[in-house]
């Protein structure tokens, strides 16, 4: 599969595809595919002449979005999510993660953002940094397996997109360098590090630091099958009352012509974002790069371009010019942490989401909203279990929103369980495909063949085969009640209420999808998708009386 390296900055004026996406491909070709029942018949229909592209499909206004990122953060720092505590055996760690993944699938999610570099240490055998203390309780101790390899493989087994979550500059949740592993780069290069607010950080103003952290993170990108690279909101530390960031000497040495230390700090963060974006796409053009900044860039009272809010400003407080990253096309997606309820005067969810939608408008950058599942069940508006579901209902009226990410996995199983049940019932009752990021390249595979349908106690087992020479990433399976109706199929599969789910492909070998038990006539169809989620037309029907 060929993936084109994108051109940066992102192109302006790109047409946004509406949620009622037009049917893909020529109608005659789609109809021909619907009539096929065997690979032999498929080969005989290869010469169907091209016909004019049909009019766009009209999908019922009540239909949910067919394409929507639905993800959760799985945090390692402080053992928030995984592993649940340091020192678990490798078998226990693996069991915990697969349980989280299974719950994610049950909740209708299609992606996971897994923290694999929490504190300048690694969840893989990195040649640059020690094993993470959050795995074994002792930084540098081998956990006895490769957690990142396992995490990626198990996510893909469930057809969950895997985004590796990195924290670039945080070194330790304490301020004692002697507690770090003996060969930790922060101990070998003490001039790279400052302590602030009781924690240790790499100094973003030191050029060698920036080059090192990019190299350390890129080791995971180059050696593992990641779908995305994800930064959280921590670059410069959040301010601590009565303390100044101790980087005046760094500014004096590297500040160059800058007269303002704040502008210089922002430029340091900009450089890291830009350089990481370039490094990721130079190595693997298909891998997405995104950041989840604090939800407020600037307030309108400070900058006319800011949001109508009165909260903490990340531009000034932590030197994160997230609006610029979008404008320059340095990220594939922006995932602001809009961790406030609808109607909160200081930072209203209903104000911030449209503001961010305007930020990404006319760019190629996708917008995902960070949701505060950790607040669900708490005081005020969050005591209402419908608060999260209301957020998604609000998003439905804002087509610039491409999905949501929940913090975090443990909350979705504990305090936010009731709230998530409402989300699933009202918004995630049907699966969704991940939105296409067109400028990353890729193309739809040929339509697959459903070669067999067998009834069993657990449902109907469908055997799906790729066309010769094709190796799609996965298949989507649709069910339409009644006998085959070729003329309506290309449009009907645009309605996700016919989508049963997805199954990972297995190279050039067949894959098996088990459709839920159903009474009465049904016709099944499958499409093939590449790893960037371009979808083929439907293949042959498989009718079950």
């Amino acid at each position: 599969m060929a993936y084109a390296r994108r051109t940066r900055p992102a192109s302006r004026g790109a047409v946004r595809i509406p949620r009622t996406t037009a049917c893909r491909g020529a109608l005659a070709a789609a109809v021909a595919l619907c009539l096929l029942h065997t690979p032999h018949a498929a080969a005989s229909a290869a010469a169907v002449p091209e016909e004019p592209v049909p009019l766009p499909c009209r999908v019922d206004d009540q239909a949910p979005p067919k394409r929507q990122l639905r993800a959760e953060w799985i945090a390692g720092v402080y053992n928030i999510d995984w592993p649940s505590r340091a020192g678990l055996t490798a078998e226990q760690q693996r069991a915990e993660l697969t349980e989280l993944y299974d719950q994610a699938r049950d909740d209708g999610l299609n992606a996971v953002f897994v923290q694999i570099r929490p504190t300048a240490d690694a969840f893989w055998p990195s040649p640059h940094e020690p094993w993470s203390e959050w795995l074994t309780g002792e930084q540098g101790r081998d956990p006895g397996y490769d957690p990142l390899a396992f995490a990626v493989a198990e996510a893909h087994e469930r057809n969950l997109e895997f985004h590796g979550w990195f924290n670039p500059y945080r070194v330790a949740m304490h301020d004692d360098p002697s507690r770090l592993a003996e060969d930790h780069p922060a101990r070998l290069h003490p001039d790279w590090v400052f302590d602030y607010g009781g924690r240790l950080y790499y100094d973003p103003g030191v050029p060698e630091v920036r080059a090192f952290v990019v190299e350390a993170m890129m080791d995971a990108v180059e050696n593992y099958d990641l779908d995305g690279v994800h930064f959280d909101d921590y670059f410069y530390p959040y301010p601590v009352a009565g303390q100044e960031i101790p980087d005046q000497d760094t500014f004096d040495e590297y500040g160059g012509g800058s007269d303002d230390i704040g502008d210089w700090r922002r430029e340091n963060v900009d450089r890291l974002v830009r350089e990481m974006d370039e490094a990721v796409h130079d190595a693997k053009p298909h891998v997405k790069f995104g950041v989840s900044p604090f939800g407020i860039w600037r307030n309108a009272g400070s900058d006319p371009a800011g949001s109508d809010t009165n909260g903490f400003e990340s531009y000034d407080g932590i030197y994160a010019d997230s609006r610029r990253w979008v404008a320059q096309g340095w990220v594939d997606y922006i995932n602001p942490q809009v961790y406030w309820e609808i109607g909160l005067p200081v930072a209203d969810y209903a104000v911030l989401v449209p503001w961010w939608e305007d930020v990404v408008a006319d760019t190629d950058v996708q917008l995902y909203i960070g949701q505060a599942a950790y607040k669900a069940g708490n005081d005020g508006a969050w005591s209402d279990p419908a608060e999260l579901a209301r957020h998604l209902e609000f998003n439905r009226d804002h087509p610039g929103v491409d999905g949501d990410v929940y913090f975090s996995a443990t909350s979705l199983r504990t305090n936010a369980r009731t709230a998530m049940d409402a989300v699933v019932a009202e918004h995630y009752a049907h699966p969704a495909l991940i939105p296409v990021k067109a400028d990353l390249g890729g193309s739809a595979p040929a339509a697959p063949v459903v070669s067999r349908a067998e009834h069993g106690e657990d449902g109907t087992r469908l055997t799906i085969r790729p066309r010769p020479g094709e190796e799609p990433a996965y298949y989507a399976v649709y069910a339409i009640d009644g006998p085959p109706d070729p003329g309506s199929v290309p449009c009907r599969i645009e309605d996700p209420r016919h989508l049963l789910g997805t199954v990972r492909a297995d190279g050039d070998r067949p894959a098996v999808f088990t459709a839920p038990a159903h009474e009465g006539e049904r016709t099944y169809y499958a499409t093939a998708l590449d790893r960037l989620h371009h979808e083929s037309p439907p293949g042959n029907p498989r009718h079950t009386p």
Side-chain angles (χ1 to χ4, degrees), residues 28-202:
V31 171
L33 287 168
C34 292
L35 296 173
L36 302 177
H37 288 267
T38 66
H40 175 75
S44 68
V48 175
E50 292 188 3
E51 295 289 344
V53 176
L55 294 174
C57 300
R58 297 184 62 85
V59 178
D60 186 336
D61 289 342
Q62 299 303 309
K66 179 176 176 177
R67 289 189 179 268
Q68 183 181 54
L69 182 105
R70 304 170 178 175
E72 66 183 6
W73 279 289
I74 299 178
V77 68
Y78 283 133
N79 298 115
I80 291 173
D81 294 312
W82 178 71
S84 64
R85 62 182 175 85
L88 295 176
T89 66
E91 182 178 359
Q92 289 170 324
Q93 290 184 13
R94 288 192 288 258
E96 281 194 347
L97 187 61
T98 55
E99 187 176 346
L100 290 178
Y101 284 177
D102 287 343
Q103 183 67 61
R105 285 279 291 187
D106 289 346
D107 285 342
L109 305 187
N110 53 26
V112 288
F113 290 21
V114 182
Q115 193 170 39
I116 59 175
R117 186 181 180 269
T119 47
D121 51 13
F123 274 47
W124 74 97
S126 169
H128 305 289
E129 295 177 310
W131 283 107
S132 178
E133 67 172 298
W134 310 108
L135 293 169
T136 64
E138 179 185 343
Q139 194 172 68
R141 180 187 293 175
D142 190 331
Y145 76 116
D146 186 336
L148 180 53
F150 178 80
V152 172
E154 291 296 313
H156 287 168
E157 176 70 21
R158 292 159 178 78
N159 204 38
L160 295 166
E161 198 172 61
F162 184 95
H163 292 240
W165 168 15
F166 301 83
N167 186 289
Y169 289 126
R170 186 171 60 202
V171 172
M173 307 304 286
H174 57 77
D175 60 4
D176 183 1
S178 69
R179 290 172 55 185
L180 302 174
E182 289 187 4
D183 60 349
H184 196 293
R187 294 186 68 173
L188 300 177
H189 302 278
D191 55 318
W192 287 4
V193 181
F194 60 69
D195 65 89
Y196 178 78
R199 297 178 180 178
L200 295 174
Y201 299 89
Y202 282 129

Side-chain angles (χ1 to χ4, degrees), residues 216-258:
M217 294 183 288
M218 283 302 299
D219 183 72
V221 179
E222 292 165 353
N223 292 293
Y224 295 85
D225 190 21
L226 310 184
D227 300 295
V229 170
H230 182 75
F231 284 177
D232 53 32
D233 53 321
Y234 292 98
F235 296 95
Y236 279 90
Y238 277 82
V240 175
Q243 295 189 33
E244 295 290 334
I245 296 174
D247 63 347
Q248 183 63 49
D249 289 345
T250 310
F251 178 59
D252 292 341
E253 184 173 358
Y254 298 109
S258 179

Side-chain angles (χ1 to χ4, degrees), residues 91 123 191 257 286 349 353 360 362 372 495:
E91 182 178 359
F123 274 47
D191 55 318
H286 63 275
Y349 183 93
V353 167
V360 302
D362 299 322
D495 186 335

Side-chain angles (χ1 to χ4, degrees), residues 19-28 30-31 34 53-60 63-64 66 478-480 485-499 525 527 535-538:
R19 295 195 186 278
T20 54
T21 310
C23 299
R24 296 170 174 81
L27 179 60
V31 171
C34 292
V53 176
L55 294 174
C57 300
R58 297 184 62 85
V59 178
D60 186 336
K66 179 176 176 177
Y478 299 84
I480 298 174
D485 180 11
S488 70
V489 170
C491 282
R492 294 183 77 176
I493 70 165
E494 291 301 321
D495 186 335
R497 290 172 293 190
H498 296 301
L499 176 61
Y525 298 88
T527 60
E535 186 178 29
S536 77

Side-chain angles (χ1 to χ4, degrees), residues 292-461:
S292 57
F294 185 78
I296 298 174
W297 172 72
R298 300 192 89 185
N299 300 312
S302 301
D303 188 318
S307 52
D308 186 15
T309 52
N310 291 290
F312 175 83
E313 299 170 297
S314 58
Y315 177 94
D316 302 283
I318 53 176
Y319 311 101
D321 194 354
S322 48
R323 184 169 173 268
R324 186 183 185 203
W325 308 337
V326 173
Q328 294 295 325
W330 294 339
V331 290
D332 294 307
Y333 64 83
I334 197 78
N335 178 200
Q337 299 172 27
V338 187
Y339 285 175
W340 305 283
E341 63 265 27
I342 293 174
L344 181 69
V346 69
D348 188 344
Y349 183 93
V351 167
L352 282 161
V353 167
W355 185 87
W356 281 104
E357 185 181 33
D358 287 343
V359 169
V360 302
D362 299 322
T363 76
D364 291 326
V365 177
Q366 293 178 327
L367 173 62
Y368 312 144
I369 302 300
Q371 301 286 355
Y374 72 95
K375 289 186 174 181
N378 295 329
D379 293 338
W382 294 96
S383 63
D384 184 347
E387 180 67 27
L388 276 179
R390 279 197 290 267
H391 291 193
L392 270 65
E393 186 65 30
F394 182 86
N395 292 357
R396 286 286 297 273
D397 293 329
H398 294 274
V401 176
D402 293 301
D404 300 270
V405 188
Y406 300 88
F407 188 85
S408 65
T410 296
S411 288
L412 295 184
R413 293 155 56 89
T414 55
N415 62 287
R417 187 61 254 169
T418 301
M420 195 61 186
D421 286 342
V423 167
V424 172
E426 297 176 29
H427 300 284
Y428 293 173
H430 303 280
L433 304 179
I434 291 176
V436 169
K437 186 74 171 52
D439 61 323
L440 295 185
S443 60
V449 174
V450 182
S451 61
R452 181 177 299 177
E454 298 175 301
H455 290 300
E457 292 183 0
D458 57 345
T460 302
R461 290 169 54 85

